[in-house]
Amino acid sequence: MFSLPESQDITILQGEYSLSLVVLSIVIACCASYTSLSLNQRMQQNHFFHKSFWLVLASVAMGLGIWSMHFIGMSAFMLPVQMTYDTFLTAASVLPAVFASYLAFSFSSRKKKGHLSAVTAGIIMGIGISAMHYIGMAAMKMEVEYVYKPLILMASVLIAVVVSYVALFIFSSLQKFMGTQWIKILTSVLMGLAITSMHYTGMSAVIFYTDKPLDGMHGMHKMDMPLLVTGVTAGIFILLAVSGLAGLLDRYVDHRLHHYDALTLLPNQRQFEQDLKNSKTAGSLAIIHIHDLEKWVSGYGYTFGDRVIKAVGDIIDERKLRTSKVYRIEGNRFAVYHGEEHEFEKLKACMESVLSQLKKPLMIDDYRVVIEMACAISHCDKGDCDQLLANTMAVLQHSSIQYRHGVIEYDPAVHTYSFERQIVQDINRAIETNELFMVYQPKVQTGTGEVTGVEALLRWQHRVHGLISPGVFIPVLEENGKIFEVTDWVIETVFRQVSHWLDEGIEFKRVSINIPGPYVTSSRLLSVLHEGLRKYGIDSSFIELEITETSVIHDIENAITAVGRFREMGLSVALDDFGTGLSSLSYLRKIPISTIKIDKSFVDGVPLSEKDSALLRAITTLCSSLKLRVVIEGVETQEQIDFITGMIERPHIQGYYYSPPLQEGEFTDWLRERELVLKA
Ligand code: C2E
Ligand code: CA
Ligand code: CA
């Protein structure tokens, strides 16, 4: 095998190479390496197909690549004799290449990568490539003999091992950068070189000779291998087809995993963003927001919450327009995108029907589920989809959304700013343009029916939001430091009104003004009050300040001082919403207030609830014994009036039973009518 026969009659034959086929063989080796490295990469990234699927596929690709390279390299080789090959050995020679690739790749893709793994992988790969080569050589049949030069043969194996090691080392240690195309190409070229350099070094280790006369040999011959070339072509074709199909399948699975919601099977947020980006028209967009999903999840568990979501998703999907697309974009949000231009009204009508269906109770696991939701909708026939999404989101982000349950259309005047920002921004204008005004609610003495006072309450007729409740805008103004100015305006307006009523001879006894918590203790309030009383020439006994229990608790010492000063001025001071704060009774004695306003919540259950009735009576008795005037707020029914009238004490009553807050003119009319009734 390694030494030439001693005979003198042997002739050494020189082979030649076809350059184009040599180049082709190198290209094939590099391409096969690239394909198998790509498949290897999928093994690292994808979780849908099992890792071993990609490992086997990568090994088959690599093995077939080595095998193809070898036989194309062989067909590039020419000798002046006829050459053919043994089919069985040729086919079998692919196996060591595939097995070696499998082992080498499993070593180099281990999680714990040591240097040893790379060395082992390099040795296995090098031996695999060499084994394939020398089995392939043994498959050759020709009329000449050959021997190997042992040193070069060993060198060929060594080259295969070393270059494989370098390539696999780069592959395993730079895997996180393998996405960078050029590193992958570099590794593939190195791997291709490992295969081809081994092959051509191995070929140079062979000495072909013959002891027959050379006369019968005419010209150079390539190997007679039409079947083999067909096999190689088919092999490469299968390789490309399999890896291509696997790639396609993988991409599809990848796409499903990343672009669809597993629960509802609807496209997800990523797909939604992509579709909006790719859309040529802006069209219309609706987003349905479920307000109370959290309630169902925390009450009945995640699985139940999932079923609620699924049921909602199904209803939306069933009822959508044919050309609309539904997405689940967040845990509690669905989007419906309608790309057709000028069909906003159609989508709006569709969403109204979806919402009316969703408002009906859903039956889930025998539970009757009533979900609360709102739908934001907008269209953008001229702008782009970014604008469309921004507009729809502005509706959802607007703080008013929590109070709404219908289809809400984007309105640039309302949704450009947050509700809070708009309130703060608009308040000065509201004062100037008379959007703010006062209403007055009378207080009536139990028993006599006499009007003993009136509370001034603020109203805001906002040009966009309509009439906003002070319960909503006062806290916003307090948080944003705007409440002092507004209170000054209230004081000024009420004083002007009082002076007007006094001039007109209208009997109102006393007007109460609500003073917000932080303003109570400020020296500015004192001077505003002094100044106002002086300016309108009003006696302080006509004015009462209502301060809330909670605001007093926060700064009790200063509150005591401030209330003392108001009382010195001759003003009455009422403690508002009594009973809603904590530790109410302990400081009742300490603060020099004149009136207690018992909160509406104490009256609501009266007289049906014995507990509430007893409590209301006890508080009234206690406060009266402290010589405080008692006002019971929020009295609405005849039964409540009867109960209160039955008490020994004579508390004052404020509530819808007598009158809701009234505008100035209505209030004076009401007063006159009442006087007539009382006189009759
Ligand atoms: P409050 O001072 O406790 O005012 C009583 C609230 O109860 C008023 O609501 C009044 O309309 C309502 N009310 C009166 N009788 C009944 C009834 O029989 N049934 C029911 N359901 N409600 C009744 P409004 O006017 O919406 O005021 C809400 C709150 O806003 C007030 O509570 C007060 O804290 C604040 N507020 C109102 N005006 C002003 C103001 O000028 N300045 C300040 N700082 N706060 C104000
Ligand atoms: Ca009040
Ligand atoms: Ca109150």
Side-chain angles (χ1 to χ4, degrees), residues 455 514 546 576 597:
E455 178 174 6
N514 289 283
E546 291 194 8
D576 203 354
K597 293 189 81 179

Side-chain angles (χ1 to χ4, degrees), residues 455 514 546 548 576-578 597-600 633 654:
E455 178 174 6
N514 289 283
E546 291 194 8
T548 61
D576 203 354
D577 302 343
F578 179 74
K597 293 189 81 179
I598 300 175
D599 191 68
K600 180 179 184 300
E633 285 190 284
Q654 180 183 351

Side-chain angles (χ1 to χ4, degrees), residues 217-287:
M217 301 177 183
H218 299 295
M220 298 301 264
H221 295 270
K222 281 188 184 173
M223 255 170 110
D224 180 19
M225 47 172 67
L227 197 69
L228 194 66
V229 169
T230 316
V232 168
T233 316
I236 290 168
F237 179 74
I238 291 169
L239 172 89
L240 290 176
V242 167
S243 51
L245 275 179
L248 277 181
L249 187 64
D250 190 55
R251 234 168 275 162
Y252 174 72
V253 170
D254 204 54
H255 181 77
R256 285 297 305 188
L257 284 176
H258 286 93
H259 293 79
Y260 282 78
D261 171 49
L263 173 66
T264 57
L265 303 181
L266 292 170
N268 64 12
Q269 184 170 30
R270 188 172 287 150
Q271 184 65 43
F272 173 63
E273 281 170 4
Q274 236 172 51
D275 286 356
L276 283 192
K277 210 166 138 202
N278 298 336
S279 176
K280 298 213 167 50
T281 55
S284 319
L285 174 67
I287 297 180

Side-chain angles (χ1 to χ4, degrees), residues 349-376:
C350 167
M351 294 328 292
E352 266 154 8
S353 116
V354 167
L355 250 67
S356 70
Q357 178 65 27
L358 285 174
K359 274 180 192 155
K360 293 179 189 158
L362 300 168
M363 285 310 291
I364 293 174
D365 288 350
D366 293 337
Y367 288 101
R368 222 168 143 267
V369 177
V370 181
I371 46 171
E372 292 191 355
M373 83 218 80
C375 172

